[in-house]
Amino acid sequence: MSVSTAAADKSVCAPLPVLGRDVTVPLVTGGEVAYAALDYAASAPALQRVWDDVAAYAPYYGSVHRGAGYLSQLSTDLFENARRTVAGFLDCRDGDQVVFTRSTTDSLNLLAAALPADCRVFVFETEHHASLLPWKNAQVTYLDAPRTPAEAVATLERALADREPHGPALVCVTGASNVTGELWPVRELAAAAHAHGARIVLDAAQLAPHHPVSVRDLDVDWVAFSGHKLYAPFGSGVLAGRADWLREAEPYLAGGGASRKVSRREDGGVDVEWHESAARHEAGSPNVIGAYAIASACKALTDAGFDSLVARERYLIEKVRAGLAEVPEVRVLSLFGDDAPRVGVISFVVDGWNSSHFAAALSAEYGIGVRDGLFCAHPLVRTLLGSDPQTQGECGAPEAAPGEKSLNAIRVSFGAGTPDEHVERFLAAVRELVRDGARWNYRTEDGRCVPDTSA
């Protein structure tokens, strides 16, 4: 789709109202400007509808599951209805469990703790650390970064076919890269995993806010995502999928709510009968507001219509990519190539610029929030940059001379709440910084590049 064609489609869906859209921030050069939040891949702003739903519920907040009072019963119904809403949003199968966690990271660590004995785990080096690191108690095979979706499938098939012994195995894969935004061939990877007797968990942290995710259609065994990336930043996450491994594992946390029955033994110890439902892994008082916020976001995105949301985001993606392509000093990072389908996450480097310096100037001089660094995906970013592990250079000097390898990258990300003006201001700022340089002096403080206000 060309930019002109996409522009005709963007009217299908205006930006969804989000918190912070009217916030102004000071500029080091003087005055204030409306903040342009372009760091959605880290945490998306809360949808106004989510905030309104939470605010309406807040006076009725009560402890769940065991209270006899009206507010406790109301909160229990709300919490369990949120579970059903999330199951519907993900198109879960009959018998699948929806477990509320703290985040995607928490969800994948929970699943890691539930792996059967001698389970092998297969994960590409391109994963976010939330997917790359939790498997410390399993035998892990790290797969090299593929350069095409087909190569990803072939690499996984070879690794699964060669595994010894041929016991339980789990594949962990992202749905959309938090570095390049590129969509991964999840359905094909799931088919390859199942053909070789393995299961698969989908890290949908970057996929679910941008595209519909169907557990049934993708044929994944589990899916994990975070509320704070789904326009519901209240410290909650989800692990949804097959119940058997979760039901057979020791509780992720031991405590009230996870236990069905506890009794003393004659030898002085205790016997515990754990729940077999999702409650088995939800010990303690749950984050009811976080779960309700996720459910509210699921409803809001569904009501807005993913077809319209995807069409408008595609317009923004092409606008950003076309604008960056006009600046010769800018190189956009990609694993699968320019034509790969993607979500609104774009990382790039600028010749002669320290990435931290560039990001700091965007913030301090233009009121634009982006991210710089390795994005909790160090092996992937270093592969894309062709750089060895090193520390960030001083922000007052270029990170790398033109033509040399960059150490870190800059990431711009956007979504359902992003107005055109934020993208246009970002592109104008990139052009101006590359052409004229920063208008302010910067220094390194605690490893970060910040405006120098000492003068």
Side-chain angles (χ1 to χ4, degrees), residues 30-366:
E32 293 189 343
V33 68
Y35 183 65
L38 294 177
D39 194 15
Y40 275 49
S43 284
L47 288 172
Q48 184 67 54
R49 172 171 163 178
V50 173
W51 184 260
D52 292 343
D53 283 349
V54 169
Y57 161 64
Y60 301 93
Y61 172 82
S63 183
V64 303
H65 290 149
R66 292 167 294 282
Y70 178 80
L71 297 190
S72 290
Q73 295 179 42
L74 179 68
S75 294
T76 297
D77 287 344
L78 181 143
F79 185 68
E80 294 303 331
N81 283 332
R83 200 187 304 277
R84 287 186 281 273
T85 296
V86 171
F89 179 75
L90 296 174
D91 191 25
C92 288
R93 301 161 293 244
D94 293 343
D96 281 349
Q97 286 187 354
V98 172
V99 181
F100 286 115
T101 66
R102 294 179 299 172
S103 60
T104 307
T105 301
D106 197 37
S107 295
L108 293 172
N109 275 271
L110 189 164
L111 184 59
L115 296 180
D118 302 321
C119 185
R120 294 280 301 276
V121 175
F122 295 83
V123 57
F124 287 93
E125 69 169 2
T126 48
E127 293 291 311
H128 185 281
H129 294 170
S131 303
L132 197 69
L133 302 180
W135 320 106
K136 56 184 179 295
N137 293 327
Q139 185 176 351
V140 186
T141 298
Y142 295 104
L143 305 175
D144 292 339
R147 286 298 181 170
T148 67
E151 183 183 337
V153 177
T155 298
L156 178 62
E157 286 181 328
R158 286 194 300 271
L160 289 171
D162 293 343
R163 79 182 191 273
E164 293 290 345
H166 204 78
L170 177 71
V171 177
C172 182
V173 67
T174 188
S177 171
N178 78 306
V179 177
T180 67
E182 292 163 318
L183 300 180
W184 276 63
V186 177
R187 186 180 292 103
E188 292 80 2
L189 290 167
H194 293 153
H196 290 277
R199 296 191 180 190
I200 186 168
V201 57
L202 168 64
D203 175 353
Q206 299 295 344
L207 182 63
H210 303 274
H211 283 265
V213 175
S214 169
V215 170
R216 197 185 308 265
D217 180 56
L218 294 173
D219 197 23
V220 294
D221 297 281
W222 293 277
V223 60
F225 69 88
S226 293
H228 73 101
K229 298 186 192 297
L230 196 77
Y231 311 99
F234 295 97
S236 195
V238 167
L239 176 67
R242 301 198 180 278
D244 53 351
W245 285 8
L246 300 177
R247 189 170 53 238
E248 293 161 8
E250 287 293 305
Y252 184 48
L253 294 173
S259 55
R260 177 185 294 165
K261 179 182 177 181
V262 180
S263 57
R264 289 293 302 273
R265 297 195 306 263
E266 290 185 2
D267 63 6
V270 294
D271 288 323
V272 184
E273 182 180 328
W274 303 107
H275 282 294
E276 293 188 353
S277 64
R280 185 184 189 92
H281 299 290
E282 293 176 343
S285 295
N287 182 356
V288 182
I289 286 182
Y292 182 47
I294 285 181
S296 174
C298 290
K299 291 177 181 178
L301 293 174
T302 300
D303 291 348
F306 269 109
D307 287 347
S308 296
L309 294 173
V310 169
R312 188 171 192 286
E313 186 172 308
R314 186 179 297 120
Y315 157 75
L316 293 178
I317 292 169
E318 298 197 7
K319 188 179 187 72
V320 172
R321 287 177 60 83
L324 292 177
E326 294 175 355
V327 183
E329 294 84 355
V330 170
R331 176 169 70 91
V332 173
L333 305 183
S334 177
L335 195 63
F336 297 152
D338 290 343
D339 296 332
R342 66 193 72 230
V343 300
V345 179
I346 298 170
S347 296
F348 62 97
V349 294
V350 183
D351 271 358
W353 276 86
N354 176 298
S355 296
S356 181
H357 188 191
F358 200 89
L362 285 173
S363 174
E365 300 178 29
Y366 299 91

